[in-house]
Amino acid sequence: MKVTGHELAALPKQASANDALNPYKEALREHFPSREALLQEAKRQTQRQRMLKKVTTGVTFSIAFAFTWVIDPVWHREEMHTMVGQQASFDLKDGSHVDLNTNSVLVVEQHLYSRQLQLTQGEALFTVQHGWRPFTVFANQTQIRDIGTIFNVRNTDDGAVVTVVEGSVEVRTANAQRILTKDISVTTQAGTISESRCTSANVAWQQGRLVFDGTPLQEAVAEIQRYRQAPIVIQDSKVGLMRLSGEYDINAIESLLKTLPLSLGIHVNYQTDGKVILSK
C-alpha cells in the first residue's frame, strides 16, 4: 500500500489527538464500568438472588413448620360415653384401646403431633399403641403422659386417681410431678400427688367386680352409687362408719344392698321412687 505525503503528514496529528484524549478516556472508565465488569456484576447479582431465594424459602418453611408444631392442629375428634351402670370398649384411630367404666365421658383428639384425651368424668383404662406422637390424658387438672403402659384413670371431685397396670406413666399437676411404675397408684388433689401401692380394688371393675376390704360404709356407698341411678342415703352417721368387706358383682347392685342387713345388721328401706335409705 502506498502512502502519500499528505497522509504521512496527518499521522502524527492523529496520534497526537489520541494522546490528548487518553486522560478523558481513563476518567470515563473510572465512572463507567467496562462490558466485562458489567457482565461479572450481573453474574454476581444472579448468584445473590438465587442464594436469597434459597434462604427465604428455608426460613419460610421453618416458620411454617414451627407454627404448625406450636398450633398442633386437630385432624380427628370423637367423643365416647357410657350411661350409669354401663361399661363399653373402644378402639382408637391410632390403634390404642380404651375401656370406659360407668357414667364416663371421654373426648379423644388426634392432633398432627400429639394424641390428647380429656376424661371429663368417670373412669377409663387405657391400653396405648406406642408411636412417635405422645399420648396424654387430662383429668381434672391432672396430666398423665404415657411412657409405655396400660393405666387406669378416674376423674374425682378433687382431682384424679391414676393406677399403673403395666409399664410407667408421668403424672403432672400444677405443683408436682411423679413417674409411676407398675402396681403404683396416686391420688391428685389441689395440685399435690399422694402415692400408694396399687390394690386390686382400683381396677376390679375391669372384671365386673366391686372389692371392699374394711372400707367405711360411707365410702363403699359412694362407690356403689356410681352404678345406680336412684340415690342411696345413709341416715345415721354411725352407720356410715361401719366397715364393709367382700367382693360383689357390679351387675347385681340390688343384691349387694339386700345383703347389708345380714353383713352389717342395718336396715335397708326402699322408697317408691327407687331411693334407698340405710339406717340402724
Side-chain angles (χ1 to χ4, degrees):
M1 177 177 173
K2 185 176 180 180
V3 180
T4 63
H6 293 288
E7 291 171 335
L8 288 173
L11 286 175
K13 293 180 180 179
Q14 184 175 358
S16 299
N18 288 335
D19 293 340
L21 290 174
N22 279 339
Y24 299 101
K25 291 179 180 179
E26 293 299 328
L28 288 174
R29 286 194 184 99
E30 292 179 2
H31 293 282
F32 298 97
S34 65
R35 179 173 178 273
E36 291 77 10
L38 289 173
L39 290 175
Q40 289 293 331
E41 181 60 24
K43 185 176 180 181
R44 284 192 293 269
Q45 287 185 4
T46 302
Q47 290 174 343
R48 284 195 295 267
Q49 288 173 353
R50 288 176 180 173
M51 182 63 68
L52 181 61
K53 185 177 180 181
K54 289 180 180 179
V55 171
T56 303
T57 302
V59 170
T60 302
F61 177 80
S62 299
I63 293 173
F65 180 79
F67 182 75
T68 56
W69 184 271
V70 171
I71 297 301
D72 194 13
V74 179
W75 62 268
H76 182 78
R77 186 179 188 275
E78 56 186 325
E79 183 175 308
M80 305 162 181
H81 60 85
T82 54
M83 305 298 289
V84 174
Q86 179 190 12
Q87 296 175 342
S89 298
F90 302 91
D91 291 320
L92 305 185
K93 291 287 185 181
D94 66 340
S96 299
H97 184 80
V98 176
D99 294 309
L100 280 188
N101 201 0
T102 176
N103 196 25
S104 300
V105 177
L106 178 69
V107 178
V108 180
E109 292 184 346
Q110 301 287 350
H111 291 246
L112 189 60
Y113 302 109
S114 63
R115 297 168 288 177
Q116 301 182 23
L117 299 86
Q118 297 278 351
L119 184 64
T120 58
Q121 71 180 54
E123 186 171 20
L125 181 76
F126 301 93
T127 303
V128 181
Q129 178 67 39
H130 304 306
W132 63 271
R133 292 183 303 149
F135 187 102
T136 307
V137 178
F138 299 89
N140 198 358
Q141 303 181 48
T142 304
Q143 176 181 310
I144 307 100
R145 182 176 64 88
D146 169 68
I147 299 176
T149 189
I150 300 173
F151 62 99
N152 192 82
V153 180
R154 178 172 171 178
N155 190 322
T156 66
D157 293 336
D158 302 316
V161 178
V162 183
T163 303
V164 178
V165 179
E166 291 183 10
S168 58
V169 299
E170 179 189 59
V171 177
R172 286 177 176 266
T173 65
N175 304 318
Q177 176 183 348
R178 190 74 56 80
I179 299 293
L180 309 186
T181 54
K182 182 179 179 180
D183 295 335
I184 296 295
S185 178
V186 297
T187 300
T188 66
Q189 183 178 9
T192 63
I193 301 176
S194 60
E195 183 176 326
S196 64
R197 300 295 300 180
C198 173
T199 64
S200 59
N202 293 64
V203 291
W205 67 271
Q206 276 287 294
Q207 289 77 44
R209 297 181 297 116
L210 290 176
V211 178
F212 303 114
D213 184 11
T215 306
L217 187 59
Q218 59 188 4
E219 294 181 17
V221 166
E223 184 66 22
I224 296 168
Q225 186 68 75
R226 298 176 63 208
Y227 301 89
R228 192 177 192 272
Q229 283 279 9
I232 305 170
V233 179
I234 299 177
Q235 197 172 52
D236 191 322
S237 59
K238 291 183 179 180
V239 172
L241 298 177
M242 293 181 175
R243 295 185 175 273
L244 180 65
S245 297
E247 294 187 11
Y248 302 90
D249 188 347
I250 283 177
N251 298 313
I253 295 299
E254 302 309 315
S255 296
L256 188 164
L257 293 174
K258 290 176 181 179
T259 66
L260 295 180
L262 295 175
S263 60
L264 298 180
I266 62 175
H267 181 65
V268 179
N269 184 14
Y270 280 86
Q271 306 293 300
T272 55
D273 59 358
K275 180 191 292 185
V276 170
I277 298 177
L278 307 181
S279 59
K280 293 178 65 174

